[in-house]
Amino acid sequence: MRTRAEVSAGGVVFRPGAAGPEVVLASRRTKRGELAWGLPKGQVEPDEHPEETAVREVREETGIDADVQADLGEISYFYVWEGVRVRKRVRFFLMRATGGDVSRHDHEMEEVRWFPLDEALRATSYASERKVLQQAADGLRAGHSPEGG
């Protein structure tokens, strides 16, 4: 089976909420038709820095404008798409929401909404993204920006 590499970037976007910080998650249908909740992310374009990609993809996928606060590190995983094995690396950033509205999300996402931290951790469908979200949540609860590596 052929293998190719993909490099993406995305964000854990937060805002203050009545009961503490909230984060935005986006959902799409899996091949099996199940709703999968995850962090907004997308492919790094040529001549684009990962931070720029994260800001762009967050805006496109969620409708939210956000500023990068901290680097949360990178995850990697494999998946198969149309008979090709893909090794995907994704760099995530902690991002503070500055404006926008989830009603402006793009057609790729079925639903986008804000979740309290604990609920977001339960809702996130992928273990690798849950780990990134947990790292961000720990830092937000402690009142400082978490940093990954």
Side-chain angles (χ1 to χ4, degrees):
M1 182 179 293
R2 247 183 23 164
T3 301
R4 67 179 167 89
E6 280 184 8
V7 178
S8 292
V12 175
V13 182
F14 72 95
R15 71 176 184 187
E22 298 176 335
V23 296
V24 71
L25 296 179
S27 67
R28 67 176 85 205
R29 292 281 166 190
T30 66
K31 286 183 180 181
R32 287 180 271 169
E34 299 162 347
L35 200 59
W37 287 96
L39 299 169
K41 62 187 175 296
Q43 196 157 340
V44 177
E45 299 293 337
D47 300 322
E48 188 176 49
H49 293 283
E51 294 91 339
E52 296 168 318
T53 302
V55 169
R56 176 179 54 78
E57 287 292 338
V58 163
R59 186 181 315 111
E60 289 174 6
E61 292 191 352
T62 70
I64 300 297
D65 298 317
D67 291 334
V68 171
Q69 302 291 302
D71 187 339
L72 294 171
E74 187 175 275
I75 63 171
S76 63
Y77 54 92
F78 287 93
Y79 67 94
V80 176
W81 184 258
E82 296 178 350
V84 177
R85 182 180 163 115
V86 180
R87 180 182 188 273
K88 186 165 189 165
R89 293 184 301 124
V90 185
R91 179 157 298 280
F92 281 103
F93 298 91
L94 181 67
M95 302 173 72
R96 180 185 307 274
T98 59
D101 191 282
V102 295
S103 67
R104 295 182 359 207
H105 72 85
D106 71 12
H107 68 280
E108 285 182 48
M109 299 300 133
E110 183 155 324
E111 184 181 357
V112 176
R113 66 178 156 114
W114 290 99
F115 289 83
L117 277 175
D118 289 336
E119 191 179 333
L121 285 162
R122 288 190 298 272
T124 303
S125 299
Y126 305 105
S128 58
E129 290 187 13
R130 193 174 308 112
K131 185 176 175 185
V132 171
L133 184 54
Q134 181 66 61
Q135 179 184 339
D138 291 345
L140 289 169
R141 286 188 187 116
H144 65 278
S145 294
E147 295 184 2

